[in-house]
Each structure stands twice: as C-alpha cells, then as structure tokens.
C-alpha cells in the first residue's frame, strides 16, 4: 500500500539550516502553486504570498523576528499576507493548509522547510512594502538542507497513536 | 517536473457526496497517522482526533454545522478536538494536519471535505467530549459518489498566480 503523499508526510522533518544552493525557478514556482491551489473556507483564498530570495531582505526579516532566524540562510522565504478584513471564517486554519501543501511539495523534491511566526508583523509589513489594511502572519523558509545533521531545538517525535486517536467517542 | 504529491494538490477537489463503500481499516489508520505525524508549533501537537464511523453519530455531527450535512453520508468523519486554552496555535496547526489527512486519503481515491461546527456544543455532545475540550471542525471522508452536488455558495476556481504571488516585495 505505497502512498507517496503518506511517505512524504511520514518522513518530513524540520530543516532549519540550509545549503547555499539556490532553488531552480521551476521548483520555486511549484511550491508557490501548491499554496495557491489550496482549499480554503468557502474558497475565499484569504492569502497573498511574497516570495523573497534577496539575501538582504531575508536577513532583515530574520533580524526583526528572531524566532524566524532560520530565514537568514534560506534560499527562499514565503511570507503569508492576509488581506484584511478577512473574508475567511478561519484564516489561520486556511494558512495552515496552504503552508502544508507548500512544505510537502518542497519535500517531494528534496527541499527542506520550517515555519516561523512573525512576532513583529507591522515592521515586517513595512519592510516588505505591504499596504495598510493587510497583515503579515507567517513565513516559511525553504532550501536544500545543509549537510550537517539538522537537530531540532525541541523534543522530537510524536504522541502515540492511541493517545491521539479516539474511536467513535471520546 | 512533477511529483505525485503536487499532482494530488493540483487535482484534489472537495467531495461532498459519498458512496456506501466503507474505507478499509488500514487506510483509516493511515489517514489518522498522517494527521498524527503532522508538524505543529513547537511540536505541541495540540490535537485529539475522534474517528467516527457509526452512522447515528455521523448524523448527529451533521446537525452541528450549517453546511455540515455531508457528514451524515460519510464513511468516516475525523473530528478535530483541542484543549481549550491549551498550548500552541491549534487553528493553524489543525489546518496543517487536515491537509496531511486529506492528501493521504486522496492517494487512495478517497475524497474529503471540511465541516465547520457553528454549534460546537452539539458536536461535543455527539462524541461525549469532556469539559475543557472543544470541537469546531471535522473532516468527512469517503469514496466519491458519481454525482457531486453543486455547492452554490462558493465561487469556483483559484485566483491567478500573478494575483496571489508577489516577488521580493509587495
């Protein structure tokens, strides 16, 4: 019962350190398409994506948002922009779906990724020239994994199946 | 350049009408594992999944949301449960887990669609949720019926690439 989607889900892990190798344009485009084609609440598509490859811009976003420091070394950063007021009932949920599509597509071609939450959204928006009335929310770093073993900063692994799954009722 | 997972993302459609055919146990388990193995903010895994196949429970859940009627005919519903006031960012992380489960299912020809519970208290009652937990979303899964209803409420298609993606800055 081979399922490539499941194999990618099973083997995906966080990559925070990237090599200097740039991503081919068609890979960048496919990652962005995977986000664009994502389903959303009543098909509202409550997102815009800013695709950043300029090293200086990546570094400046990382400096503003230290928890997204991985961006400084990424080959590509995708900033999720939310037009406000949101037309979606659950924009955060929809962002999660789009981000997962992008990350799985990247993993499918050997590109690693990690999500960061932008803790300085207003300054980041200004840096990126995002007009007022829009909000920046999340950023995803993409790149080929650095050779050195990537070590998560937090406890890895997942809760056991029987702890997470309830059958029929709680 | 194409990968199976990108093709799944590109071709996946919401499925709201299902056949009576049950989903084999090992596929149900794979779908749930695809959710369980998802990435989440600081690996908080802020979720429980209640897997429902009992027809009466499915019918009760279908009455917990304005557009949740499709659950009544699903072969499987996965109810997304979070601890109220719990850690992490469950909304975004639920979006990621949902996309993993839907893509894992689609690879087996199983369709799916989201439901939002406008009446979470009814959903909680249907699955015996203890105090302190809430269920606001569920996913219906099943083999697609030949005839799919038109939803009538949502516009179709996705906005064009150039409308969604900005390069380097807004």
């Amino acid at each position: 019962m081979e399922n490539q989607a499941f194999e990618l889900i099973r083997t995906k892990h966080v990559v925070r350190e990237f090599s200097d190798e740039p991503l081919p344009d068609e890979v960048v485009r496919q990652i962005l398409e995977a986000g664009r084609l994502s389903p959303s609440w009543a098909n509202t598509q409550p997102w815009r994506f800013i695709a950043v490859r300029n090293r200086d811009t990546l570094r400046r976003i990382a400096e503003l948002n230290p928890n997204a420091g991985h961006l400084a070394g990424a080959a590509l950063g995708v900033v999720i922009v939310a037009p406000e007021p949101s037309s979606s009932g659950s924009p955060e949920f929809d962002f999660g779906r789009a981000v997962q599509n992008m990350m799985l597509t990247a993993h499918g071609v050997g590109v690693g990724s990690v999500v960061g939450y932008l803790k300085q959204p207003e300054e980041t928006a200004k840096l990126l020239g995002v007009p007022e009335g829009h909000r920046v929310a999340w950023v995803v770093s993409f790149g080929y994994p650095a050779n050195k073993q990537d070590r998560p900063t937090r406890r890895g692994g997942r809760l056991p199946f029987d702890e997470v799954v309830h059958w029929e009722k709680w | 350049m194409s990968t199976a997972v990108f093709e799944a993302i590109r071709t996946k459609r919401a499925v709201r009408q299902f056949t009576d055919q049950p989903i084999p146990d090992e596929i149900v388990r794979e779908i749930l594992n695809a959710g369980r193995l998802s990435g989440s903010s600081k690996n908080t895994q802020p979720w429980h999944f209640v897997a429902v196949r009992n027809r009466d429970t499915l019918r009760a859940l279908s009455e917990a949301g304005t557009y949740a009627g499709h659950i009544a005919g699903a072969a499987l519903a996965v109810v997304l449960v979070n601890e109220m006031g719990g850690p992490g960012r469950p909304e975004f992380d639920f979006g990621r887990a949902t996309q993993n489960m839907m893509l894992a299912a689609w690879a087996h020809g199983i369709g799916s669609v989201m439901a939002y519970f406008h009446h979470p208290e009814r959903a909680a009652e249907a699955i015996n949720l203890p105090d302190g937990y809430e269920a606001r979303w569920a996913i219906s899964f099943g083999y697609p019926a030949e005839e799919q209803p038109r939803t009538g409420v949502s516009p179709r298609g996705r906005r064009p690439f150039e409308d969604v993606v900005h390069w380097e800055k807004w």
Side-chain angles (χ1 to χ4, degrees):
Chain A
M1 199 177 62
E2 185 62 30
N3 175 346
Q4 196 228 10
F6 182 73
E7 278 312 294
L8 290 174
I9 290 161
R10 194 179 66 75
T11 57
K12 188 178 151 312
H13 61 279
V14 167
V15 174
R16 289 189 182 79
E17 305 241 7
F18 305 99
S19 79
D20 292 337
E21 192 184 344
L23 301 182
D25 284 348
E26 65 268 27
V27 169
V28 171
R29 176 134 190 144
Q30 194 174 76
I31 290 169
L32 293 163
E33 281 283 33
R36 180 179 76 90
L37 297 174
S38 299
S40 54
W41 167 275
N43 196 24
T44 44
Q45 309 168 62
W47 47 59
R48 301 289 188 282
F49 307 127
I50 304 179
V52 181
R53 287 180 285 192
N54 180 286
R55 182 64 53 209
D56 187 49
T57 310
L58 292 167
R59 284 202 188 109
R60 286 166 71 191
I61 302 172
E63 277 165 24
L64 278 173
N65 303 275
N67 62 313
H70 44 76
L71 203 58
L76 167 72
V78 176
V79 178
I80 316 289
V81 180
E84 294 281 338
S86 179
S87 48
S88 168
S90 310
E92 294 294 306
F93 190 97
D94 293 335
F95 296 156
R97 299 182 73 181
V99 162
Q100 195 63 17
N101 273 356
M102 289 193 268
M103 293 175 102
L104 285 174
T105 295
H107 183 40
V109 291
V111 173
S113 60
V114 57
V115 185
Y117 184 72
L118 294 166
K119 292 194 171 169
Q120 298 294 336
E122 282 163 26
E123 313 233 328
T124 308
K126 197 184 290 179
L127 172 69
L128 293 169
V130 175
E132 277 195 37
H134 291 43
R135 164 176 80 88
V136 298
W138 302 85
V139 65
V140 191
S141 290
F142 293 95
Y144 293 105
N147 278 334
K148 64 176 139 176
Q149 185 65 36
D150 226 278
R151 194 167 298 165
T153 57
R154 315 256 171 192
R155 182 177 64 90
R158 297 290 186 261
L159 295 167
F161 189 90
D162 296 325
E163 203 172 307
V164 176
V165 176
H166 304 242
W167 293 101
E168 298 305 336
K169 305 218 171 191
W170 186 274
Chain B
M1 185 198 65
S2 196
T3 63
V5 72
F6 180 71
E7 281 307 299
I9 289 164
R10 199 177 64 76
T11 59
K12 192 169 99 41
R13 295 288 179 274
V15 172
R16 291 183 178 80
Q17 191 85 39
F18 306 98
T19 70
D20 293 338
Q21 187 184 347
I23 302 173
D25 284 351
E26 67 270 23
I27 296 181
V28 170
R29 202 168 169 98
E30 187 174 280
I31 292 169
L32 293 163
N33 267 321
R36 180 178 73 88
L37 297 173
S38 301
S40 55
S41 182
K42 300 188 176 102
N43 196 24
T44 43
Q45 307 171 63
W47 42 58
H48 287 265
F49 306 126
V50 182
V52 180
R53 289 179 285 192
N54 178 284
R55 190 60 57 200
D56 289 336
T57 313
L58 291 167
R59 285 200 187 105
L61 287 170
S62 78
E63 287 165 13
T66 310
Y67 305 106
H70 51 77
I71 300 176
L76 165 73
V78 175
V79 184
L80 309 179
V81 175
N82 63 285
E83 199 176 344
M84 289 155 100
R89 303 178 183 281
E91 217 167 303
F92 182 82
D93 293 337
F94 275 161
R96 298 184 64 184
T98 293
Q99 204 57 22
N100 274 358
M101 288 192 267
M102 287 179 151
L103 288 171
W106 188 250
H108 295 287
I110 293 165
S112 58
V113 64
M114 287 302 303
Y116 180 78
F117 293 134
H118 298 83
H119 306 287
E121 71 288 350
R122 289 187 205 164
E125 191 186 339
I127 55 168
N128 288 355
L129 273 194
D131 286 346
Y133 291 86
E134 66 178 341
R136 286 190 289 154
W137 291 279
I139 314 165
S140 286
F141 292 96
Y143 292 96
E146 246 168 68
E147 295 276 320
Q148 289 298 318
R150 289 209 47 141
T151 57
V153 286
S154 309
R156 302 187 148 217
R158 299 285 188 264
R159 279 202 312 274
F161 189 88
E162 288 71 21
D163 190 23
V164 176
V165 176
H166 301 241
W167 295 100
E168 299 304 335
K169 301 217 171 187
W170 188 274

